[in-house]
Amino acid sequence: MPSISLVMIVRNEKDNLYECLESVKNYMDEIVVVDTGSTDNTTEIAKSFGAKIYNYSWINNFSDARNFALNNSTSDWNLILDADERVTNWNHKKILHYTQKNKFIGKIKINNTFIQNNEERLSQIYISRLLPRGVFYAGKIHEQVVSDLPRFELPIEVMHTGYYKTDKSSRNLPILESELSENPSNPYILFQLARQYKTLNRLNEAAEYFRASYKFATGKEEYFSDLVVNFLYTLIDLKQFYPAFEVIDQMDAYLANSPDYQFVRGLFFMNFVLSDTSRNIDFLPLIEKSYLACLELEKKGEEEIVLGTASFLAAYNLGVYYEMFNQKDKAKYFYELSASYDYEPAKKRLKL
C-alpha cells in the first residue's frame, strides 16, 4: 500500500494550522512541517498531531523551502497544503486505487472565497498538489511543479481562505519583481504580478502586466483562460473597450467552451453598448447570446472557474437584460432559474 505524507511550510499559523491538520490527519501516514521562523505556538500545534518539525531559514524562495520539506518526507507520495487550507473531500478508495497503479502528478480542486461586486464569490481551480516521491518545485513564488509526468484530476477538494480579505502584496510583490528581473518574458510571473496589482486596485499597472502576459503566453498554459478573463475584467473596469474588443475577437473561437469567458464577454458587450448606446446598439444581441452560451455550457458539463458564471449569475444577468426591455415573462423565467440556486439578488428581483 503506498504511503502519503502531508508536506507543509509554515510561519505564525496558530489561527489556521489546527483546522488544516484536523481535516487531513486520518488520511496521512506522516506529517512533515517545515517552520520558517514562527514566534507563536505554531510548532506546538503541529507536534500535537505527531508532526515531524524541521526549521528552515527563510530566503524569499518558496520553491527552496518546499523542496527542503519534500526532501524530509519518507513517503511514496506527498500532499502539499498551506496552513490556511483544509480538506473538505477525500475519496480514500479512489485515491488509493490511483496511487497503487500509476505514477503521475495529482491535481486537486482548490476552492477560494473572494469579494466581487460587493458579494462573496467562490472560485474553483485544479492545482498540482499530490506528487510522487522525487518530484520538486521551481520558482521563487507561486512555485510550479517540475515534471513531465501526466497530470490527473483527483477526487480531493480543499477550501482555501488565505486571500479572503487579506493583503499579501508586501510579501509577494518584491519576490515577483525579483523573478521578473531574471526572466522578463515569463508569462506566468507577469500574470501573477497583474493579479497582485488588480487585488490592490492598481488597475492601470494590472492591465499592463496582463497585456504582457497575454503577449508572451502560448495559449496552452493551464492558467490561460483565467489570464484572458482577468485581463478583460480589468479592461472593462478601465473602460478600455477597444483593446478588450481586440482580445475578444482573438479569443471567441479559442475559448468558446469557457463559461467564465462567455460571462465576461456578455459583461463587456453590456458595458460597451451602454458607453455609447446610439453608436454601439448593433452589439446589443451579443449580451443575450453570451449569457445563453454560459447556460448551454453548464448543460454540457463544462466547469467554471467562478461558481455561478454558467448558472445563477448568467441567469440573473439574463433576467436583468429582459427586464430592461420589458420582456417580463422571460425576465421572470431567468430570475426564477437564478433563484433556484438560492441567489439572493434574483429572489429580490422576483419580489419586485
Side-chain angles (χ1 to χ4, degrees):
M1 183 181 298
S3 55
I4 303 179
S5 289
L6 173 64
V7 179
M8 307 179 69
I9 58 174
V10 299
R11 184 179 183 182
N12 290 338
E13 291 288 358
K14 66 179 180 64
D15 295 331
N16 296 311
L17 188 58
Y18 182 89
E19 190 172 1
C20 173
L21 296 178
E22 184 69 23
S23 74
V24 77
K25 66 179 183 180
N26 293 332
Y27 313 123
M28 297 296 109
D29 298 288
E30 177 184 60
I31 298 175
V32 175
V33 173
V34 169
D35 187 78
T36 65
S38 293
T39 55
D40 60 10
N41 65 333
T42 292
T43 56
E44 284 74 17
I45 294 169
K47 286 175 183 176
S48 72
F49 284 85
K52 296 178 180 178
I53 313 295
Y54 299 90
N55 294 316
Y56 171 87
S57 297
W58 181 245
I59 56 170
N60 281 345
N61 189 316
F62 279 89
S63 286
D64 193 73
R66 292 223 188 269
N67 292 339
F68 174 79
L70 286 166
N71 275 319
N72 281 289
S73 166
T74 63
S75 293
D76 303 308
W77 292 84
N78 297 301
L79 175 69
I80 312 301
L81 289 182
D82 290 329
D84 53 12
E85 296 173 334
R86 65 182 186 275
V87 172
T88 56
N89 181 54
W90 181 283
N91 190 319
H92 188 68
K93 186 176 179 180
K94 286 186 177 180
I95 294 162
L96 183 61
H97 173 74
Y98 294 144
T99 54
Q100 278 181 320
K101 295 188 175 183
N102 305 288
K103 193 173 184 181
F104 59 92
I105 305 298
K107 300 173 69 176
I108 70 176
K109 183 185 281 189
I110 308 289
N111 296 305
N112 291 278
T113 52
F114 66 102
I115 300 295
Q116 187 178 63
N117 297 332
N118 296 317
E119 294 178 6
E120 184 176 301
R121 298 274 165 86
L122 182 72
S123 70
Q124 48 191 13
I125 191 167
Y126 281 90
I127 299 178
S128 298
R129 291 289 194 86
L130 186 66
L131 316 179
R133 185 170 180 79
V135 172
F136 296 98
Y137 283 91
K140 292 180 181 178
I141 190 170
H142 297 295
E143 57 281 7
Q144 297 289 286
V145 174
V146 180
S147 176
D148 293 326
L149 289 170
R151 304 192 182 209
F152 297 122
E153 294 178 1
L154 296 175
I156 302 172
E157 287 193 45
V158 167
M159 176 59 72
H160 174 232
T161 59
Y163 286 101
Y164 183 62
K165 299 180 180 178
T166 304
D167 180 11
K168 296 186 178 181
S169 57
S170 60
R171 181 198 71 183
N172 293 353
L173 280 173
I175 305 176
L176 285 166
E177 287 165 356
S178 172
E179 281 275 82
L180 189 65
S181 68
E182 296 174 13
N183 192 349
S185 59
N186 185 318
Y188 183 70
I189 298 301
L190 289 162
F191 170 57
Q192 294 296 347
L193 271 165
R195 289 181 64 195
Q196 195 68 64
Y197 282 115
K198 189 172 186 290
T199 300
L200 294 170
N201 205 35
R202 292 164 62 174
L203 297 182
N204 284 300
E205 290 158 290
E208 288 308 307
Y209 283 113
F210 278 131
R211 187 173 289 108
S213 179
Y214 180 69
K215 174 185 174 182
F216 290 117
T218 65
K220 297 179 181 179
E221 295 84 359
E222 290 184 344
Y223 58 87
F224 184 72
S225 64
D226 201 13
L227 158 63
V228 173
V229 168
N230 274 283
F231 188 18
L232 288 172
Y233 273 116
T234 304
L235 292 174
I236 292 167
D237 287 342
L238 290 169
K239 302 189 186 306
Q240 294 183 12
F241 297 124
Y242 288 98
F245 214 122
E246 185 177 355
V247 174
I248 286 172
D249 189 51
Q250 294 166 350
M251 290 292 110
D252 260 355
Y254 195 74
L255 294 179
N257 291 324
S258 165
D260 297 85
Y261 172 74
Q262 293 291 354
F263 187 87
V264 74
R265 184 181 186 270
L267 189 67
F268 164 75
F269 283 115
M270 183 184 74
N271 281 271
F272 183 61
V273 170
L274 291 175
S275 70
D276 191 338
T277 306
S278 60
R279 189 174 182 179
N280 301 329
I281 194 66
D282 289 345
F283 293 95
L284 189 67
L286 295 180
I287 303 172
E288 177 188 32
K289 181 181 178 181
S290 297
Y291 292 130
L292 288 172
C294 292
L295 300 179
E296 284 301 312
L297 289 171
E298 185 192 38
K299 293 177 183 177
K300 293 179 181 179
E302 296 290 344
E303 280 208 1
E304 57 211 342
I305 297 174
V306 175
L307 197 67
T309 54
S311 55
F312 60 89
L313 295 176
Y316 177 80
N317 283 5
L318 279 166
V320 172
Y321 176 86
Y322 291 123
E323 186 180 1
M324 185 168 60
F325 293 103
N326 205 32
Q327 298 181 49
K328 291 185 178 180
D329 288 341
K330 282 187 174 181
K332 184 182 177 184
Y333 172 82
F334 285 105
Y335 282 142
E336 286 177 340
L337 176 59
S338 181
S340 71
Y341 290 83
D342 205 31
Y343 187 50
E344 283 299 326
K347 294 179 181 179
K348 290 178 181 178
R349 295 309 305 169
L350 278 171
K351 288 179 181 178
L352 294 173

